[in-house]
Structure formats: structure tokens, C-alpha cells
Amino acid sequence: MLPASLGTGAAFAQGAGDTLVIAAPATPQGLDIEFDVSVGSIDALGALYEYMLAYEKVEDPNAPGVLREDTSVHADKPNNMALKGRLAEAWDVSPDGRRATFKLREGVKSNWGNLFTSKDVKWTWDRKFNLKGQGLFQTAVLGLNSPDQIKVEGDYALSFNLDKPNPLLLKQQCNLANPIYDATKCAAVGGSADPWAVNFLKNESAGFGPYKLAQLVRGQQAVFEARDDYWDTKPAMKRVIMREVPQSASRFSLLQGGAVDIAQFLQPREMEALKSQKTVAVDAVNSSYMIWLELNAKITPFDNVDVRRAVNLAIPHDEIIRTIYYGYADLQTAPMPYIYPMADKSFFSYNYDLAKAKALLEKAGVGKGLSTTLSYNAGDPTQEPIALLIQTSLRQIGIELTLEKLPAGVFYENVTKRAKPMIFYLDSPWTPDPGYSTYLYFNSKSYVNYSNYVSTDVDALITEGLATLDNAIRLEKYKQVQKTLMEDAPWGFIAYPKYTLARKANLKGFTYYTSNNLRFQDFSRG
């Protein structure tokens, strides 16, 4: 059912003309990327904030009318990437790859009317070092050890200075986790008591993006208004209303009835049901999403590599993709997104084989059977049926699973505690790079290494691959990383879910980003 405050029918429908209405599973819980990466929050980021650089866009080869970031390796382009300037209008990387200088765009104003300068970029990165939130990963993966390595070279000039070359130096300027803040506004509202404006940015924005926040009522709706003084092309959608509709069936009904423009994160069977409707369009594109099982290497029985391999051999991939995802997913064949450069599917060796799985359990000394627990997210409607299929399959090889249904509010807390023997995880590494992806999930010191996987060889190879600009050398190193990871099986590899969008047929401009978020400024009515 819909929240009573939202109403139904005509009262709910406000999607005409230049207003975009989105039925979302949740409103933004926080607006500060240092501490909140929930679905509603990341959609807000791309509207409220601006970035130093962006990828060029190309047509999606599998979805007519859809654009996507061009993240391919381009040997004929500077730094082998198809990039365009945003807050930085020009840039240069030194031949040794240790220094990047940026010429910043002049005349850009924030949603508070303050002019953009290099001090905003400097303050933004200083904030990461001081708050020690998710920004610590952003600095670490770049090889930044001190805020002093980011230097103001003038009002509209700035440099990043590294101890070693790093192929992510420009890519990280596109990452959704690295928006640029209005330092002047943040200093004014934070003062000495809150120098990094944590309390303010939790509920408000101070950025240079195309929209400003007009209203945020958590649990009900968020409203965004296009800025008349935005420096770039003004958004066609002048007002965006993101309404919280927790139930997928309710979001489906609202779109089906024409009350909203977009229904987010519908179940695969609902997407299929919409395909026959002329007033609705369904887009499905290959994405950076991955869903897997964290096999906790510090908890019995998953401290044994042969048990982890056996579980992989008993995952009924084809049945999951066919009956749960209705084809809106592909087999996960690598420990990184298959759309990313250097992803290698040749090391996947876990096609469904119960006999081979049983033999591995015998080898591990648990051939007579074992019991363990699989935890899943009650807020994700696909996880319970996947868990049931896996439970049935593992029972055939002597592994008895107890299924633990965790409320959505505590599921991620349990993931981060790393105390469950086996738990689902759905995620995506936002920077399209093998070093970023493998560092994030498998480096022994990474905060997202939820499977407690430790390999000194893998750590070394990941680090070496992040310290060279030579793509041939990087390719060989990350081939070895992927080979080792697939053999060590720290995950139960399941699927690459597609990014799907259910929208009114007359809504145009959908663009896919590797951060799996919407950017309201892309949309217009056709």
C-alpha cells in the first residue's frame, strides 16, 4: 500500500511537462557521501553536485535510445580515455604519471551563489583525510598519503602529486564518490564547531550541480529544483519529485496507471509484465552490478578453500537467472564487473557440477556433511528465492543450510561486521578499472573485504598494477589476480544483474553510469 500522505490517482500524478516524478524504494537517508551510499542518496548526488571530469557518452549497443559512459581503453586518446571537462576544463598528466595539473573552469557558481575556485577542490579532498569516512578508500586507492599532496597553484589551478604513478588519477575525478563542495558555504555553516560541515551536509547540499534541494522529508519525498544559474545546459526537468514507495508492486501499479514517470527497482517479473504496454518502456543494460555470497574465510567451514569451491560448483546459476531474474542478469564469471576493461572470464570453472562438488567436500574432510547458515536481505525480493534454490542444491551435496532473514535495516550492519559464515552482497565498484575493483573487495586492508580474504600475492599484484600506467603490464598483473581469486573462491559467484529502468515511453535521455544512479538532468520528454 502507498503511504497515506501520498494519496493515489490524480493527487499523486504530477508528471506532466517539466516535472519528473519518480517512485523510489526510499528517499535519501543522508546527503553526505562520506557516510551514506544508500540508493536514494546516490541518485541525489548526481543532481546536486558537479565533478572535475566525466566520461564521454556513447550509444548502448544493446538498448536503442540509451546512452552510457564510454569507459573503454582508447589508445588514440590522451591518457587512453574518452574524457571531457566539467569543473576542470583542461588537464595534463606528467610523463611519469605522478603529477596531474588541472585548469579549472571560471564563472561557475554553487547553489548558494559562491564562485567556484581551487580552494573548493582542495577543501573537498582535505575533508576526506579528516573525516576518515569512505573518503579514506578514495585517497588510499590513489596512493595519497597526505592532504599536502593536493596543491593550490592559483585561483583556478590545482595539482595532485603522487609518490608513484597511478592510472586512477583521472578516473577518480569522475567517480560519483568525489563531488566537489562549496567550501565557502560549508565554512560559514559549520564554523569552528563543525569545520567539515557534517551536520549541514547530512540534510542539505553545497555544490555546483544542476539542481538544488527544495525539500527532504525522509520516508515521504525529496524535491529537487533546477537551478537557473547553472553553468552548463539547463535541465529540461525543472522539478523532480522522488516519492518513497517501499513496495515494488505499488511502484509497478503507479507507473502502469501513469501516475509516475519512473518506477525504480521493480522485480524482474514486473519488468516482463510491462513490456507489452505501449505507454511504458523498459530499458535493460549490462551494468557494474554483481551479486555474490561472501564466504567468510575466517569462519569454519569456509576457511577451507575446497569447501568454498564446492559451494560454487553447487550454485544453480542457470536456474537463478532464468526463474528469478527472468533473463535480466548474466552469469558472474569474474571477480569484477564484466563490462570493465581487463575483466577476464577465462578463469571461471564453476559450472554446475554436483559430483565434482561432492568430491571436493570429501577432499576437505567433510564428505559426511556439514551445517552452516546463509543470511540474506529481507529488503531485496530476489534474495530469498535465490537462497531457497541454493539451499536445495547444497543439500544434495551434504551441506545443510539454515536460512537467516535479516531486516533491511540491519542487513548491511551484519555484512560489515564480517561475523556471518555466508551472507549475500549486491554491490558495484564505481570506477571502471581492474585495480579499483580488486583493491576494493580483495585487498586485505580494504574496508569492503567482507569475506576476510587474505593473500599477500594478490595484495602485491593489485598494488603493483596501481603503480604503473602501462596497460600491457597491468593486463598481465590483473590476469594473475583474477586467476588466483577464482581459484581461491572467496565469493560464491552468482550473477551480474542488469540495470533496469521502467519509465513512461515519452521520457527520453536515460543514460547508464557505472555508479548505477540516475541523473535527473539527462531526462526530457520526447
Side-chain angles (χ1 to χ4, degrees), residues 293 314-325 352 354 374 382-396 399 401 403 424 494:
L293 301 175
I315 294 174
H317 304 100
D318 291 347
E319 191 175 3
I320 290 169
I321 290 170
R322 178 174 51 83
T323 66
I324 309 299
Y325 284 106
Y352 194 60
L354 296 184
L374 171 57
T382 66
Q383 290 189 17
E384 184 169 79
I386 294 174
L388 288 167
L389 288 177
I390 292 175
Q391 181 188 48
T392 299
S393 186
L394 290 187
R395 184 175 292 131
Q396 297 179 66
I399 297 179
L401 282 185
L403 301 185
F424 277 93
I494 301 177

Short mmCIF file of all heavy atoms in Angstrom, two decimals, residues 293 314-325 352 354 374 382-396 399 401 403 424 494:
data_model
loop_
_atom_site.label_atom_id
_atom_site.label_comp_id
_atom_site.label_asym_id
_atom_site.label_seq_id
_atom_site.Cartn_x
_atom_site.Cartn_y
_atom_site.Cartn_z
N LEU A 293 27.89 -14.37 -2.86
CA LEU A 293 27.89 -14.78 -1.47
C LEU A 293 29.25 -14.51 -0.87
O LEU A 293 30.27 -14.94 -1.43
CB LEU A 293 27.57 -16.28 -1.34
CG LEU A 293 26.25 -16.78 -1.92
CD1 LEU A 293 26.19 -18.30 -1.80
CD2 LEU A 293 25.08 -16.14 -1.21
N ALA A 314 28.00 -25.88 -6.74
CA ALA A 314 26.62 -26.28 -6.45
C ALA A 314 25.63 -25.12 -6.55
O ALA A 314 24.46 -25.27 -6.19
CB ALA A 314 26.56 -26.91 -5.06
N ILE A 315 26.08 -23.97 -7.01
CA ILE A 315 25.15 -22.84 -7.20
C ILE A 315 24.43 -23.02 -8.54
O ILE A 315 25.09 -23.08 -9.59
CB ILE A 315 25.90 -21.49 -7.17
CG1 ILE A 315 26.48 -21.24 -5.78
CG2 ILE A 315 24.96 -20.34 -7.56
CD1 ILE A 315 27.36 -19.99 -5.68
N PRO A 316 23.12 -23.12 -8.56
CA PRO A 316 22.37 -23.36 -9.80
C PRO A 316 22.20 -22.08 -10.61
O PRO A 316 21.10 -21.52 -10.70
CB PRO A 316 21.04 -23.92 -9.31
CG PRO A 316 20.84 -23.28 -7.97
CD PRO A 316 22.22 -23.12 -7.37
N HIS A 317 23.29 -21.61 -11.22
CA HIS A 317 23.28 -20.32 -11.90
C HIS A 317 22.17 -20.21 -12.95
O HIS A 317 21.44 -19.20 -12.98
CB HIS A 317 24.63 -20.09 -12.60
CG HIS A 317 25.81 -20.17 -11.70
ND1 HIS A 317 26.60 -21.29 -11.62
CD2 HIS A 317 26.35 -19.27 -10.84
CE1 HIS A 317 27.57 -21.08 -10.75
NE2 HIS A 317 27.45 -19.87 -10.25
N ASP A 318 22.07 -21.20 -13.82
CA ASP A 318 21.10 -21.12 -14.91
C ASP A 318 19.68 -20.98 -14.39
O ASP A 318 18.89 -20.19 -14.92
CB ASP A 318 21.21 -22.35 -15.81
CG ASP A 318 22.51 -22.39 -16.60
OD1 ASP A 318 23.20 -21.35 -16.64
OD2 ASP A 318 22.84 -23.44 -17.17
N GLU A 319 19.37 -21.75 -13.36
CA GLU A 319 18.02 -21.69 -12.79
C GLU A 319 17.75 -20.35 -12.14
O GLU A 319 16.65 -19.78 -12.25
CB GLU A 319 17.83 -22.83 -11.78
CG GLU A 319 16.39 -23.00 -11.34
CD GLU A 319 16.20 -24.22 -10.43
OE1 GLU A 319 17.21 -24.88 -10.10
OE2 GLU A 319 15.05 -24.49 -10.06
N ILE A 320 18.75 -19.80 -11.46
CA ILE A 320 18.61 -18.48 -10.82
C ILE A 320 18.34 -17.42 -11.87
O ILE A 320 17.42 -16.60 -11.74
CB ILE A 320 19.87 -18.15 -10.00
CG1 ILE A 320 19.95 -19.04 -8.76
CG2 ILE A 320 19.87 -16.67 -9.59
CD1 ILE A 320 21.28 -18.97 -8.03
N ILE A 321 19.13 -17.40 -12.92
CA ILE A 321 18.99 -16.37 -13.96
C ILE A 321 17.67 -16.51 -14.70
O ILE A 321 17.02 -15.51 -15.04
CB ILE A 321 20.19 -16.43 -14.92
CG1 ILE A 321 21.47 -15.96 -14.18
CG2 ILE A 321 19.95 -15.59 -16.17
CD1 ILE A 321 22.75 -16.21 -14.94
N ARG A 322 17.24 -17.76 -14.90
CA ARG A 322 16.00 -17.99 -15.67
C ARG A 322 14.75 -17.75 -14.84
O ARG A 322 13.81 -17.07 -15.30
CB ARG A 322 16.00 -19.42 -16.20
CG ARG A 322 14.74 -19.81 -16.98
CD ARG A 322 14.90 -21.20 -17.58
NE ARG A 322 15.33 -22.19 -16.61
CZ ARG A 322 14.51 -22.84 -15.78
NH1 ARG A 322 13.21 -22.60 -15.83
NH2 ARG A 322 14.98 -23.73 -14.92
N THR A 323 14.71 -18.26 -13.61
CA THR A 323 13.46 -18.23 -12.84
C THR A 323 13.35 -17.06 -11.87
O THR A 323 12.23 -16.67 -11.51
CB THR A 323 13.29 -19.54 -12.04
OG1 THR A 323 14.32 -19.64 -11.04
CG2 THR A 323 13.35 -20.74 -12.96
N ILE A 324 14.47 -16.50 -11.45
CA ILE A 324 14.43 -15.37 -10.51
C ILE A 324 14.62 -14.05 -11.26
O ILE A 324 13.88 -13.08 -11.03
CB ILE A 324 15.51 -15.49 -9.41
CG1 ILE A 324 15.46 -16.87 -8.74
CG2 ILE A 324 15.36 -14.36 -8.39
CD1 ILE A 324 14.15 -17.18 -8.06
N TYR A 325 15.58 -14.01 -12.17
CA TYR A 325 15.87 -12.76 -12.88
C TYR A 325 15.15 -12.66 -14.24
O TYR A 325 15.22 -11.59 -14.86
CB TYR A 325 17.38 -12.62 -13.10
CG TYR A 325 18.12 -12.21 -11.85
CD1 TYR A 325 18.90 -13.12 -11.14
CD2 TYR A 325 18.04 -10.91 -11.37
CE1 TYR A 325 19.57 -12.75 -9.99
CE2 TYR A 325 18.70 -10.52 -10.22
CZ TYR A 325 19.47 -11.45 -9.53
OH TYR A 325 20.12 -11.07 -8.39
N TYR A 352 27.78 -25.73 -13.03
CA TYR A 352 27.05 -26.59 -12.09
C TYR A 352 27.50 -28.05 -12.21
O TYR A 352 27.38 -28.67 -13.27
CB TYR A 352 25.56 -26.47 -12.39
CG TYR A 352 24.65 -27.03 -11.33
CD1 TYR A 352 24.67 -26.54 -10.04
CD2 TYR A 352 23.74 -28.03 -11.65
CE1 TYR A 352 23.80 -27.04 -9.06
CE2 TYR A 352 22.86 -28.54 -10.69
CZ TYR A 352 22.90 -28.04 -9.41
OH TYR A 352 22.04 -28.53 -8.45
N LEU A 354 27.47 -31.22 -9.37
CA LEU A 354 27.32 -31.72 -8.00
C LEU A 354 28.30 -32.83 -7.68
O LEU A 354 28.78 -32.94 -6.55
CB LEU A 354 25.88 -32.20 -7.78
CG LEU A 354 24.80 -31.12 -7.86
CD1 LEU A 354 23.44 -31.72 -7.52
CD2 LEU A 354 25.11 -29.95 -6.92
N LEU A 374 23.12 -19.32 5.93
CA LEU A 374 23.13 -18.33 4.85
C LEU A 374 22.20 -17.19 5.23
O LEU A 374 21.00 -17.39 5.44
CB LEU A 374 22.67 -18.97 3.53
CG LEU A 374 22.41 -18.01 2.35
CD1 LEU A 374 23.64 -17.18 2.04
CD2 LEU A 374 21.95 -18.79 1.12
N THR A 382 14.71 -10.50 -4.46
CA THR A 382 15.31 -11.61 -5.20
C THR A 382 16.12 -12.54 -4.31
O THR A 382 16.36 -13.70 -4.67
CB THR A 382 16.24 -11.08 -6.32
OG1 THR A 382 17.36 -10.39 -5.74
CG2 THR A 382 15.50 -10.15 -7.26
N GLN A 383 16.55 -12.06 -3.14
CA GLN A 383 17.49 -12.85 -2.35
C GLN A 383 16.87 -14.08 -1.70
O GLN A 383 17.51 -15.14 -1.64
CB GLN A 383 18.21 -11.98 -1.31
CG GLN A 383 19.20 -11.01 -1.94
CD GLN A 383 20.08 -10.29 -0.93
OE1 GLN A 383 20.21 -10.70 0.23
NE2 GLN A 383 20.69 -9.20 -1.35
N GLU A 384 15.64 -13.97 -1.21
CA GLU A 384 15.02 -15.15 -0.59
C GLU A 384 14.83 -16.30 -1.58
O GLU A 384 15.21 -17.44 -1.28
CB GLU A 384 13.71 -14.78 0.08
CG GLU A 384 13.07 -15.96 0.81
CD GLU A 384 11.92 -15.53 1.69
OE1 GLU A 384 10.81 -15.32 1.14
OE2 GLU A 384 12.11 -15.39 2.92
N PRO A 385 14.25 -16.05 -2.76
CA PRO A 385 14.12 -17.18 -3.69
C PRO A 385 15.46 -17.73 -4.17
O PRO A 385 15.59 -18.94 -4.39
CB PRO A 385 13.31 -16.60 -4.86
CG PRO A 385 13.40 -15.12 -4.73
CD PRO A 385 13.57 -14.86 -3.26
N ILE A 386 16.48 -16.87 -4.31
CA ILE A 386 17.81 -17.38 -4.66
C ILE A 386 18.35 -18.25 -3.52
O ILE A 386 18.91 -19.32 -3.75
CB ILE A 386 18.79 -16.22 -4.95
CG1 ILE A 386 18.38 -15.45 -6.22
CG2 ILE A 386 20.22 -16.76 -5.13
CD1 ILE A 386 19.21 -14.22 -6.49
N ALA A 387 18.14 -17.78 -2.29
CA ALA A 387 18.61 -18.55 -1.12
C ALA A 387 17.95 -19.92 -1.07
O ALA A 387 18.59 -20.93 -0.74
CB ALA A 387 18.33 -17.77 0.16
N LEU A 388 16.67 -19.99 -1.40
CA LEU A 388 15.96 -21.27 -1.37
C LEU A 388 16.51 -22.23 -2.43
O LEU A 388 16.65 -23.43 -2.18
CB LEU A 388 14.46 -21.03 -1.58
CG LEU A 388 13.73 -20.39 -0.39
CD1 LEU A 388 12.34 -19.92 -0.81
CD2 LEU A 388 13.63 -21.36 0.78
N LEU A 389 16.81 -21.70 -3.61
CA LEU A 389 17.39 -22.55 -4.66
C LEU A 389 18.76 -23.07 -4.25
O LEU A 389 19.09 -24.24 -4.47
CB LEU A 389 17.49 -21.76 -5.97
CG LEU A 389 16.19 -21.47 -6.71
CD1 LEU A 389 16.46 -20.62 -7.95
CD2 LEU A 389 15.48 -22.75 -7.10
N ILE A 390 19.57 -22.19 -3.65
CA ILE A 390 20.90 -22.61 -3.20
C ILE A 390 20.79 -23.61 -2.06
O ILE A 390 21.53 -24.60 -2.01
CB ILE A 390 21.74 -21.38 -2.79
CG1 ILE A 390 22.06 -20.52 -4.04
CG2 ILE A 390 23.02 -21.79 -2.09
CD1 ILE A 390 22.76 -19.22 -3.73
N GLN A 391 19.86 -23.40 -1.14
CA GLN A 391 19.65 -24.33 -0.03
C GLN A 391 19.32 -25.73 -0.55
O GLN A 391 19.89 -26.73 -0.10
CB GLN A 391 18.52 -23.82 0.86
CG GLN A 391 18.24 -24.71 2.07
CD GLN A 391 16.99 -24.28 2.81
OE1 GLN A 391 15.94 -24.06 2.19
NE2 GLN A 391 17.08 -24.13 4.13
N THR A 392 18.42 -25.80 -1.52
CA THR A 392 18.02 -27.08 -2.09
C THR A 392 19.20 -27.77 -2.78
O THR A 392 19.42 -28.98 -2.64
CB THR A 392 16.87 -26.88 -3.10
OG1 THR A 392 15.75 -26.33 -2.42
CG2 THR A 392 16.47 -28.20 -3.75
N SER A 393 19.98 -26.98 -3.52
CA SER A 393 21.11 -27.55 -4.25
C SER A 393 22.21 -28.02 -3.31
O SER A 393 22.74 -29.14 -3.47
CB SER A 393 21.66 -26.52 -5.23
OG SER A 393 22.67 -27.09 -6.04
N LEU A 394 22.55 -27.23 -2.31
CA LEU A 394 23.63 -27.61 -1.39
C LEU A 394 23.25 -28.84 -0.56
O LEU A 394 24.12 -29.63 -0.16
CB LEU A 394 24.00 -26.44 -0.48
CG LEU A 394 24.72 -25.25 -1.12
CD1 LEU A 394 25.17 -24.26 -0.07
CD2 LEU A 394 25.90 -25.69 -1.96
N ARG A 395 21.96 -28.99 -0.32
CA ARG A 395 21.52 -30.17 0.44
C ARG A 395 21.90 -31.45 -0.30
O ARG A 395 22.20 -32.48 0.32
CB ARG A 395 20.01 -30.10 0.66
CG ARG A 395 19.45 -31.24 1.53
CD ARG A 395 17.98 -31.05 1.81
NE ARG A 395 17.75 -29.90 2.68
CZ ARG A 395 16.84 -28.95 2.44
NH1 ARG A 395 16.10 -29.01 1.34
NH2 ARG A 395 16.68 -27.95 3.28
N GLN A 396 21.93 -31.39 -1.62
CA GLN A 396 22.25 -32.58 -2.42
C GLN A 396 23.72 -32.99 -2.32
O GLN A 396 24.07 -34.10 -2.68
CB GLN A 396 21.88 -32.32 -3.89
CG GLN A 396 20.39 -32.09 -4.12
CD GLN A 396 20.09 -31.83 -5.58
OE1 GLN A 396 20.25 -32.70 -6.43
NE2 GLN A 396 19.66 -30.60 -5.88
N ILE A 399 25.51 -30.36 2.37
CA ILE A 399 25.60 -29.12 3.15
C ILE A 399 24.18 -28.67 3.51
O ILE A 399 23.37 -28.37 2.63
CB ILE A 399 26.33 -28.00 2.38
CG1 ILE A 399 27.77 -28.40 2.07
CG2 ILE A 399 26.30 -26.69 3.18
CD1 ILE A 399 28.55 -27.35 1.29
N LEU A 401 21.83 -25.97 4.93
CA LEU A 401 21.82 -24.52 5.17
C LEU A 401 20.62 -24.12 6.02
O LEU A 401 19.48 -24.50 5.73
CB LEU A 401 21.74 -23.75 3.86
CG LEU A 401 22.99 -23.59 3.00
CD1 LEU A 401 22.68 -22.67 1.82
CD2 LEU A 401 24.15 -23.04 3.81
N LEU A 403 18.57 -20.84 6.72
CA LEU A 403 18.42 -19.52 6.12
C LEU A 403 18.05 -18.49 7.18
O LEU A 403 17.14 -18.71 7.99
CB LEU A 403 17.36 -19.55 5.02
CG LEU A 403 17.60 -20.52 3.86
CD1 LEU A 403 16.53 -20.35 2.79
CD2 LEU A 403 18.99 -20.32 3.27
N PHE A 424 24.73 -12.80 1.61
CA PHE A 424 24.62 -12.19 0.29
C PHE A 424 25.25 -10.80 0.27
O PHE A 424 25.29 -10.11 1.29
CB PHE A 424 23.15 -12.03 -0.11
CG PHE A 424 22.52 -13.24 -0.70
CD1 PHE A 424 21.84 -14.15 0.11
CD2 PHE A 424 22.57 -13.48 -2.06
CE1 PHE A 424 21.24 -15.27 -0.43
CE2 PHE A 424 21.97 -14.59 -2.61
CZ PHE A 424 21.31 -15.50 -1.80
N ILE A 494 27.58 -15.55 -8.30
CA ILE A 494 26.19 -15.80 -8.72
C ILE A 494 25.88 -15.15 -10.07
O ILE A 494 25.79 -15.82 -11.09
CB ILE A 494 25.19 -15.32 -7.65
CG1 ILE A 494 25.44 -16.05 -6.32
CG2 ILE A 494 23.75 -15.56 -8.12
CD1 ILE A 494 24.54 -15.58 -5.19
#
